[in-house]
């Protein structure tokens, strides 16, 4: 998926019973906090695997696959101290509090993942004349290796 205008991001500190669509969908609306005034969602979480290509002395090469990781997402919003979603992000922004995230596209597709938040803080006025807030979402895999959950599946 690519970034879509009108996509919302929500945060929850309530864990899904299972790391699948049914588990995430079972988190009640009251437990999700939509992060208001998002200007840049940072894209969507995705898994990636890096490879090292090592040249050996005999001229051959050896490819070493590293473990799968998740890209971090840099999110930017208009700073709104009264926004319950931004308050939830600020509370979780110590990099140690596990949270769950939901991206909802205008077409209704949902992308879920678990992760950590770091770097929440207001900034000076931007070039577009608003006080912004930036933070980083670091998606993670759960204990069974499950990562991003997409509904409907693509």
């Amino acid at each position: 998926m690519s970034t879509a205008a009108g996509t919302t991001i929500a945060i929850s500190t309530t864990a899904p019973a299972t790391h699948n669509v049914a588990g995430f969908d079972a988190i009640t609306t009251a437990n999700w906090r939509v992060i208001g005034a998002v200007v840049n969602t940072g894209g969507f979480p995705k898994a990636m695997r890096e490879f090292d290509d090592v040249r050996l002395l005999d001229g051959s090469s050896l490819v070493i696959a590293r473990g799968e990781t998740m890209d971090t997402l840099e999110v930017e919003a208009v700073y709104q101290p009264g926004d319950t979603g931004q308050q939830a992000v600020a509370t979780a922004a110590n990099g140690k509090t596990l949270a769950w995230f939901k991206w909802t596209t205008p077409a209704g597709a949902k992308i879920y993942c678990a992760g950590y938040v770091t770097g929440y803080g207001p900034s000076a006025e931007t070039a577009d004349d608003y006080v912004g807030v930036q933070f980083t979402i670091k998606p993670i895999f759960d204990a069974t290796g499950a990562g991003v959950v997409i509904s409907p599946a693509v």
Side-chain angles (χ1 to χ4, degrees):
M1 301 194 114
S2 61
T3 303
T7 296
T8 61
I9 306 174
I11 183 173
S12 177
T13 54
T14 301
T18 55
H19 196 93
N20 57 28
V21 172
F24 280 104
D25 282 348
I27 297 174
T28 64
T29 303
N31 287 315
W32 287 111
R33 300 282 181 260
V34 174
I35 303 166
V38 171
V39 177
N40 180 354
T41 64
F44 295 109
K46 60 185 176 288
M48 61 180 232
R49 184 180 301 271
E50 291 185 11
F51 297 91
D52 288 330
D53 188 2
V54 180
R55 295 283 174 202
L56 302 177
L57 292 175
D58 66 1
S60 63
S61 66
L62 174 67
V63 176
I64 302 171
R66 296 182 185 210
E68 213 169 33
T69 61
M70 301 276 259
D71 281 341
T72 59
L73 303 168
E74 304 294 329
V75 180
E76 181 181 355
V78 176
Y79 180 57
Q80 296 181 330
D83 179 84
T84 59
Q86 288 188 21
Q87 290 170 353
V89 169
T91 300
N94 60 11
K96 299 175 186 174
T97 302
L98 185 59
W100 290 265
F101 298 92
K102 173 176 67 172
W103 285 256
T104 305
T105 69
K110 296 175 190 153
I111 298 92
Y112 299 105
C113 75
Y116 295 97
V117 178
T118 60
Y120 179 90
S123 63
E125 280 189 24
T126 68
D128 296 321
D129 294 327
Y130 64 86
V131 175
V133 63
Q134 291 85 29
F135 56 93
T136 302
I137 298 173
K138 173 60 179 150
I140 63 166
F141 294 98
D142 75 354
T144 65
V148 177
V149 175
I150 300 174
S151 172
V154 291

